[in-house]
Amino acid sequence: MTATIDIDLAKKVLAAQPFAELVGTEIAEFGDGTVTLVIPIRPELGQQFGFVHGGVLSYAADNALTFAAGTALGPNVLTGGFTITYLRPAAGQRLRAVATVTGATRRQAVVRCEIYAEDADTEPVLCAVAQGTTRSVERDLTADNACNNAPRTAQFGVFVSSALVTKGRAVTDFVTSADGTRIAFDRLGHGAPVIVVSGMFCARPMTHDLATRLAERFTVLNYDRRGRGASGDTAPYAPDREVEDLAALVDELGGKAAVYGHSSGAGLALRAAAAGVPITRLVLHEPPYGDDSDESKRSARELAEQVGAAIEQHRPAEAIRIFLTAAGAPPDAAQFAGQDPAMQAVAPTMPYDLAIMGNADTGGVIPLDLVAAVEIPVLVLLGDASPEFFHHTATRLTELLPAAQLSVLAGQDHSAPAEVVAPPVISFLS
C-alpha cells in the first residue's frame, strides 16, 4: 500500500537537502501526480553570460521529477535517469519547475518536467523540458539525521546518486579488467567478501538494497557490469570479458570471494566459477535457462537475433519491447517499458546477457559442460510464484551440481525483494 504523503512532509524532506537550501528551492504545489518547485534566480546561480547555469536547471528537473513520482509511488523513490533539453536561456526573477507523472506502474513512474523562467513584467518563458524515470525501492533511503521530525517510513530518497549514502556508507571505486576496461563498484560493510552480480537492465542502484542488507554481515562489492552505469565497455564483446571483469573484482577483495548472481547475472557467475575464478560459494538466483526442446531452443535463438538486430539498428525501445513480450509481459506494459530512458540507456547490453545465457550458440539450455566444472557449494534460489520454466531449471541445476541445495522463496517471483532474498543468502554464505 502506498504511503500518504502531503505537502508539509514534502517540505520537511526538501528542507533536509543541503543543496536545496543552498539554491533556495521551495515547493509551491504538491499532490495528485504533480509537483511545482520554485527557485529564486540569484547572480550566484549564473554562468558567464548572465543566464542561469544549466546545472541549476538540471537540478530543478531532477528534484521535481522525483518529488512528483513520490506522489504516485510512495515515499522511497530514486531517479533512474532523465534527459533534459535546453530550449532558451533562463533569466528573470525565478525558475518554476512543474513536473507531472505521465505513466506509472506499481514500482516505476515516467515523469515529464517543464522549467519556466518568470519575471513580474513578462509572460513565463519555457526554458527546458525534461523526462525521466523513477523507481520505488523497498528500503528507506534517507541519509543520517534527515527529516528528524518526520516518520522514517515517510521520507523521500530524493536526489540520491548511484553511490547511495546509507548504513555502511558505500564507497565507489574502480578496477581495471584484463582488456583495460574500467569497472565501477561500491564497497559496503565489513566481513567475508561477497560480490553481487545483476541481471539484464540492471546496474548498481537496482541491487543496492540487497547489497546493503548483505553488508550487515559481509564486505560486499556491488558493481556496474560493463556497458552500464559508470563502467566502461571495450569492443568486441564476449562473455569471457565479463568473466575477466568478475575475476578483477575477486582480486580486489583479496583473491577469493563468494558470489550472488540474479537472472543472467547468475549465468555469468556460473561461467566465472567454471572458468576457475576463485569463488568460494555461489548463489544462483533463477538463471533463465530454457529446456532442451527444439521449440525452446528455436525461440531463444530467434530472440537473440531480433534483439541484436534492433540494437544494431539503434532501436533500443523496440529491443526492449521484443524481449519483454517474449518474456510474457502484456503488450502495453512492454511498450511502456520501452519508453523508459533508464532502460534504454542499458539496452545496448541486452545482447551481452543473451550471449551469456547462450541463446544464439546453444539455444539457451543449461550448459552441462560449465555445470560439470563447478564443485564449490551452490545455493539455487527459486520463487514459487515464478514461471514454470524457472522451476524446471532450478530443480535440474540442483540435481546436476554436485554440492548444490535448493531454497524456495514462498510467494515470490523473479523480482523477489531484497528483504526476502537476503536471509537465505546470508545463512548460506555464513
Side-chain angles (χ1 to χ4, degrees), residues 332-358:
D332 289 348
Q335 189 73 27
F336 176 76
Q339 305 309 311
D340 180 344
M343 292 185 71
Q344 289 191 18
V346 297
T349 64
M350 293 173 68
Y352 301 180
D353 293 274
L354 297 176
I356 283 169
M357 300 311 301

Side-chain angles (χ1 to χ4, degrees), residues 18 136 195 205 219 244:
S136 64
I195 300 172
T219 296
E244 292 166 356

Side-chain angles (χ1 to χ4, degrees), residues 87-302:
L87 302 175
R88 298 176 184 86
Q93 294 181 333
R94 63 178 176 264
L95 297 176
R96 181 177 295 272
V98 182
T100 304
V101 175
T102 60
T105 64
R106 185 173 62 89
R107 297 295 300 274
Q108 68 177 8
V110 175
V111 189
R112 175 183 170 86
C113 179
E114 296 181 348
I115 302 175
Y116 296 87
E118 298 182 337
D119 211 328
D121 301 325
T122 59
E123 291 293 319
V125 176
L126 180 61
C127 297
V129 176
Q131 178 166 303
T133 301
T134 60
R135 293 185 172 89
S136 64
V137 293
E138 300 291 337
R139 192 179 180 93
D140 189 0
L141 297 176
T142 312
D144 297 343
N145 300 320
C147 300
N148 289 326
N149 296 323
R152 279 189 61 81
T153 55
Q155 299 171 356
F156 287 103
V158 173
F159 203 56
V160 183
S161 71
S162 59
L164 300 172
V165 182
T166 58
K167 182 178 180 181
R169 300 270 177 194
V171 178
T172 300
D173 206 342
F174 294 85
V175 295
T176 301
S177 193
D179 69 345
T181 302
R182 278 165 49 93
I183 303 298
F185 66 90
D186 292 340
R187 187 191 302 265
L188 304 94
H190 300 282
V194 179
I195 300 172
V196 174
V197 187
S198 63
M200 185 179 286
F201 300 124
C202 295
R204 282 177 293 161
M206 298 298 290
T207 46
H208 182 83
D209 192 7
L210 177 61
T212 301
R213 292 174 186 270
L214 296 180
E216 295 174 2
R217 295 285 298 275
F218 308 102
T219 296
V220 181
L221 294 194
N222 181 34
Y223 78 105
D224 288 332
R225 288 172 53 190
R226 63 171 53 210
R228 311 180 191 194
S231 289
D233 195 8
T234 304
Y237 176 81
D240 286 349
R241 301 294 79 76
E242 291 212 66
V243 170
E244 292 166 356
D245 299 345
L246 196 47
L249 292 164
V250 171
D251 188 59
E252 174 71 18
L253 285 169
K256 61 180 181 178
V259 174
Y260 163 89
H262 177 253
S263 195
S264 59
L268 172 55
L270 180 66
R271 282 179 177 265
V277 175
I279 295 172
T280 56
R281 285 178 170 253
L282 181 62
V283 181
L284 303 178
H285 187 175
E286 294 195 349
Y289 296 113
D291 60 46
D292 292 327
S293 69
D294 291 340
E295 175 60 23
S296 177
K297 290 186 283 189
R298 182 189 61 79
S299 297
R301 290 188 171 103
E302 286 183 355

